[in-house]
Amino acid sequence: MIVDLPAASTAQVAQRLIEIREDVGAMALSRVLTLVLVVPEEDAEAALAVANTASHQHPARIVCVILSNARGKARLDAQLRVGGDAGASEVVVLRLYGELVKHARSVVTPLVLPDSPVVAWWPTEAPKDPGADPVGAMAHRRITDSAASAGSITTTLRRLARTYTSGDTDLAWSRITLWRGLLATTLDRPPFEPVTAATVVGAQDSPSADLLAGWLRARLRCPVSLVRSRTGSGVVSVRLQRDSGPIDLVRPLQGDTATLDQPGQPRRAIAMAPRSDAECLADELRRLDADEVYEDALITGLPAVTRRRMTMTEAVEEDLVPSPSDARRTAERLAEESKDAIRSAMVDAEPGSASTSTDAVRTAVRDRLDDEE
């Protein structure tokens, strides 16, 4: 259901929400938080689609604030979406005009669910200081996306570090969750040697690569270098140097499968597709306390990272980083070997009744394994 309320007041919007709940049965008690989006008109629908998808894990009241033309008479145009048009949420779209553009917090406050956390999200350009922004100041968590910044990545991350307030986070940080998990897992296995150096390869337009390097520097307290790959390639690889040999985690360009190479162990292919914005947003809505690990990576680790003045190709030729081309060929070979292994493991069971066919297959598989041993 979609209800348009042109030239409305916040009191009228709140009253109409109550009437819709009574008519349709949408229960605000099931909402666990209020998610406030501040977004330009042209990006509003895409951001709402992401928020609706994330709300299936975290039911919320979504308040989308669109800062329209600041000229002319102050006016508030509202639109309410419930039911199938709002996913697992109640969606309130507010278009602000005139002087009202400067008072977004006053418009949002009456529509916040009582006694529930507030999360502010800027899907595109974020304010210079999210914690000091009127909407950001009322939120428990503030989510930005440095990849959407119009300025350079380095400048944006430095500004976020300078203005950091407890509760700040970034979708660029959520995008490397799988990378951080895999790298941490490799170091939990023998040999338990310290990492003497690390090198991250990532695109010039990928703040996730910078944050991953900052995280490694803050956690491992060893020299960390950052090598740039071509624009749009995202995070490509990480090499951790140890006395027994390097650990290489590589995701080939535009690939969904990564390869992990460790001394003394066979190479492995790991499914690691790039994460969607909805997945990242849902992760950030899962916790409402401060993210100290992100804070350390941004403020402590990132300034200590060394940025090498060489291309990824030059670094591969000097054997400073693993080759994405080799990793792609390895992933393809491992995938083919896996298919061959599955085909060769197939066994035929003797025909029988439906009640005994499963036991027959299990017996045949057990016999095949015994023969191979």
Side-chain angles (χ1 to χ4, degrees):
M1 175 187 292
I2 297 179
V3 179
D4 291 315
L5 298 173
S9 66
T10 53
Q12 292 173 326
V13 175
Q15 180 60 35
R16 191 70 181 96
L17 279 171
I18 295 174
E19 294 172 358
I20 291 175
R21 279 201 301 273
E22 293 174 350
D23 294 340
V24 180
M27 293 298 295
L29 294 178
S30 65
R31 314 306 178 197
V32 298
L33 56 88
T34 301
L35 176 62
V36 182
L37 286 68
V38 184
V39 63
E41 179 75 50
E42 60 271 17
D43 299 308
E45 290 303 325
L48 283 171
V50 171
N52 283 338
T53 302
S55 72
H56 288 287
Q57 296 186 42
H58 310 280
R61 171 176 288 179
I62 299 174
V63 180
C64 179
V65 179
I66 300 174
L67 305 179
S68 298
N69 194 345
R71 299 180 180 179
K73 184 179 179 180
R75 188 175 88 251
L76 167 63
D77 289 345
Q79 185 181 80
L80 311 181
R81 305 179 187 180
V82 296
D85 295 296
S89 305
E90 296 173 330
V91 176
V92 182
V93 181
L94 306 174
R95 289 179 172 84
L96 311 186
Y97 298 88
E99 187 66 21
L100 209 56
V101 169
K102 303 177 182 178
H103 303 281
R105 175 172 179 168
S106 300
V107 177
V108 170
T109 300
L111 301 174
V112 170
L113 291 175
D115 302 322
S116 67
V118 178
V119 179
W121 175 37
W122 292 270
T124 55
E125 192 72 33
K128 300 298 183 183
D129 186 349
D133 181 81
V135 173
M138 67 184 294
H140 297 79
R141 293 294 301 278
R142 290 162 295 277
I143 306 172
T144 58
D145 189 354
S146 51
S149 176
S152 72
I153 296 302
T154 302
T155 302
T156 300
L157 292 175
R158 286 176 179 171
R159 173 172 51 78
L160 290 175
R162 186 174 63 254
T163 61
Y164 177 84
T165 304
S166 179
D168 289 356
T169 190
D170 197 312
L171 287 190
W173 173 250
S174 306
R175 293 186 184 107
I176 57 173
T177 298
L178 297 178
W179 286 87
R180 294 191 292 121
L182 285 170
L183 292 170
T185 300
T186 61
L187 297 180
D188 283 340
R189 301 173 180 174
F192 301 105
E193 300 173 331
V195 176
T196 58
T199 304
V200 177
V201 178
Q204 184 71 37
D205 60 345
S206 173
S208 297
D210 295 67
L211 291 173
L212 181 57
W215 172 70
L216 290 171
R217 181 66 179 83
R219 296 290 102 182
L220 300 177
R221 293 182 173 85
C222 69
V224 177
S225 301
L226 181 60
V227 176
R228 292 303 186 184
S229 57
R230 64 180 175 82
T231 301
S233 57
V235 181
V236 177
S237 68
V238 176
R239 168 169 286 183
L240 304 181
Q241 293 284 1
R242 298 193 299 184
D243 290 341
S244 60
I247 298 174
D248 290 335
L249 179 60
V250 190
R251 183 171 66 189
L253 307 183
Q254 308 301 326
D256 293 339
T257 303
T259 60
L260 178 62
D261 192 8
Q262 299 175 258
Q265 296 190 25
R267 284 186 175 181
R268 288 182 289 167
I270 303 170
M272 197 165 69
R275 309 187 77 203
S276 67
D277 287 349
E279 290 178 291
C280 295
L281 180 61
D283 270 3
E284 292 301 339
L285 296 180
R286 185 171 292 116
R287 58 177 302 169
L288 297 171
D289 57 332
D291 191 342
E292 294 88 356
V293 180
Y294 166 70
E295 180 184 358
D296 287 343
L298 179 67
I299 298 176
T300 305
L302 190 54
V305 172
T306 300
R307 290 168 172 79
R308 290 186 176 271
R309 295 183 177 276
M310 60 171 55
T311 65
M312 181 184 70
T313 302
E314 293 171 340
V316 170
E317 291 174 351
E318 296 185 19
D319 198 27
L320 297 176
V321 299
S323 169
S325 299
D326 290 346
R328 182 186 299 105
R329 287 191 290 269
T330 298
E332 293 172 353
R333 177 178 57 80
L334 292 175
E336 189 61 33
E337 290 176 355
S338 177
K339 293 178 182 178
D340 292 340
I342 293 174
R343 285 193 291 265
S344 65
M346 295 178 64
V347 296
D348 295 325
E350 293 294 331
S353 64
S355 60
T356 60
S357 61
T358 301
D359 293 336
V361 172
R362 288 177 177 171
T363 301
V365 170
R366 188 162 49 249
D367 293 342
R368 172 66 66 83
L369 294 176
D370 290 340
D371 293 340
E372 292 178 354
E373 292 178 356

